[in-house]
Amino acid sequence: MQIGIVGLGKMGGNISVRLTRHGHDVVAYDRDPAVTAKVCGQADGGRCTPATGLADMVGRLSGRKVIWLMLPAGEVTEQAVQELGGLMGKGDIIIDGGNSFYKDDIRRAAELVKKGIDYVDVGTSGGVWGLERGYCMMYGGTNDATDHIDPILSALAPGVGDIPRTPNRDRPGFDPRAEQGYLHCGPAGSGHFVKMVHNGIEYGIMQAFAEGFDVMKSKNSSELPENQRFDLNMADIAEVWRRGSVVSSWLLDLSASALAGNPDLSNYKGDVADSGEGRWTIEAAIEEAVPVPVITASLFTRFRSRTGNNFAEKMLSAMRFGFGGHIEGTNN
């Protein structure tokens, strides 16, 4: 299948390369021509063709044109969608694989359908590891459009792998694609809504790990009675928890790796950014009158981290860099 990929950063480039490894043809574009050339050079079997812009990309695609945007949420994505809406035609498909606000997706889909263009929002999780591990994807759009791009989504998904099957999943009513790591959640906007809540939960889990490690690291404080002080090894604790503990997870794996490399995490300042999804999750909870105290507190902690921080914030920075390559002090 042929597809255009716009935005070849940490995830867009890897998505392009992974698709070529699975036999798909990619037309790739990044505003930096050197990045475009690098990604096409990494692609398999000459299956990646560089484009010089959106109009050039549309011209290089044949049949029912499919273009996947992997751009920062906000004005950059909005401009790209609007431009493509003027270049593409009836039956064509625009995919937003970034972290756009789900209400923007609903609006864009309603505008594009007037031109006969389908819009699919794909919440994409996998960070910088997706090239090898695959991407967990939650997407929204019409059945016609999502069925058409299923070969693309199937190639990007991680597959069943060695994860044991969930009991009772063989009963009617369950989508078999969920076991493969991708799921059609509903109409336009639903994919990014589910991914938004996913990231809100991520905030809370990360905060719990960060606070717990901070409590343990502080157990050797001179403020405590001497017989209650423990000089605990954070790297070893993270490692033992990975082995059969009920809190074992990929985030714990990343924490263990960061602590093994630098137990004091002195390579991090602990200035923790938030990229929007946590805020949007809390806004949705307010609209629905659903209490989310853990997610709310975790977001406020990120605000506080920018005016002074401790070991907990360094743990958060280490996890964010581990799964997504996020640089401190930026939303990237």
Side-chain angles (χ1 to χ4, degrees), residues 87-100:
L87 294 170
M88 299 174 76
K90 186 175 182 180
D92 292 343
I93 301 170
I94 298 174
I95 303 169
D96 179 8
N99 282 324
S100 290

Side-chain angles (χ1 to χ4, degrees), residues 239-252:
E239 187 64 30
V240 75
W241 281 1
R242 294 180 63 217
R243 311 293 172 171
S245 164
V246 296
V247 297
S248 59
S249 66
W250 188 30
L251 289 174
L252 182 59

Side-chain angles (χ1 to χ4, degrees), residues 89-308:
K90 186 175 182 180
D92 292 343
I93 301 170
I94 298 174
I95 303 169
D96 179 8
N99 282 324
S100 290
F101 186 40
Y102 76 98
K103 291 183 180 179
D104 290 334
D105 295 316
I106 295 170
R107 171 181 53 79
R108 291 169 187 161
E111 293 172 353
L112 290 169
V113 75
K114 298 173 185 176
K115 302 178 180 181
I117 299 172
D118 281 304
Y119 179 91
V120 179
D121 55 292
V122 181
T124 311
S125 183
V128 296
W129 301 87
L131 175 60
E132 303 300 334
R133 291 169 56 109
Y135 299 90
C136 172
M137 293 168 292
M138 304 132 268
Y139 54 99
T142 65
N143 288 337
D144 176 67
T146 57
D147 286 348
H148 183 76
I149 65 171
D150 189 79
I152 294 295
L153 300 173
S154 177
L156 292 174
V160 175
D162 58 1
I163 299 174
R165 292 199 70 191
T166 301
N168 299 317
R169 281 291 308 182
D170 54 352
R171 294 164 54 193
F174 296 114
D175 190 332
R177 291 171 294 192
E179 287 188 312
Q180 302 291 326
Y182 68 114
L183 179 67
H184 185 199
C185 298
S190 63
H192 276 153
F193 181 81
V194 174
K195 176 59 162 50
M196 176 189 79
V197 177
H198 164 283
N199 284 21
I201 293 169
E202 177 187 292
Y203 277 39
I205 295 172
M206 291 172 66
Q207 186 63 33
F209 273 128
E211 291 178 4
F213 276 94
D214 202 14
V215 169
M216 291 187 292
K217 187 171 180 62
S218 300
K219 189 58 176 169
N220 202 30
S221 170
S222 59
E223 300 298 317
L224 295 172
E226 188 171 356
N227 66 345
Q228 294 181 22
R229 299 176 198 169
F230 304 145
D231 186 10
L232 302 170
N233 186 303
M234 298 298 101
D236 284 346
I237 291 170
E239 187 64 30
V240 75
W241 281 1
R242 294 180 63 217
R243 311 293 172 171
S245 164
V246 296
V247 297
S248 59
S249 66
W250 188 30
L251 289 174
L252 182 59
D253 294 345
L254 295 170
S255 299
S257 178
L259 289 165
N262 185 348
D264 291 328
L265 301 181
S266 56
N267 50 326
Y268 295 99
K269 294 183 298 182
D271 182 346
V272 187
D274 68 285
S275 53
E277 298 89 343
R279 301 186 191 210
W280 298 337
T281 301
I282 294 166
E283 289 173 3
I286 291 170
E287 292 173 355
E288 300 162 14
V290 173
V292 287
V294 172
I295 296 173
T296 302
S298 67
L299 177 65
F300 287 176
T301 297
R302 294 192 177 200
F303 295 164
R304 191 202 60 73
S305 77
R306 299 163 204 169
T307 59

Side-chain angles (χ1 to χ4, degrees), residues 36-57:
T36 304
K38 179 181 178 182
V39 169
C40 286
Q42 294 171 336
D44 274 19
R47 290 186 173 275
C48 183
T49 302
T52 59
L54 298 186
D56 182 46
M57 174 176 285

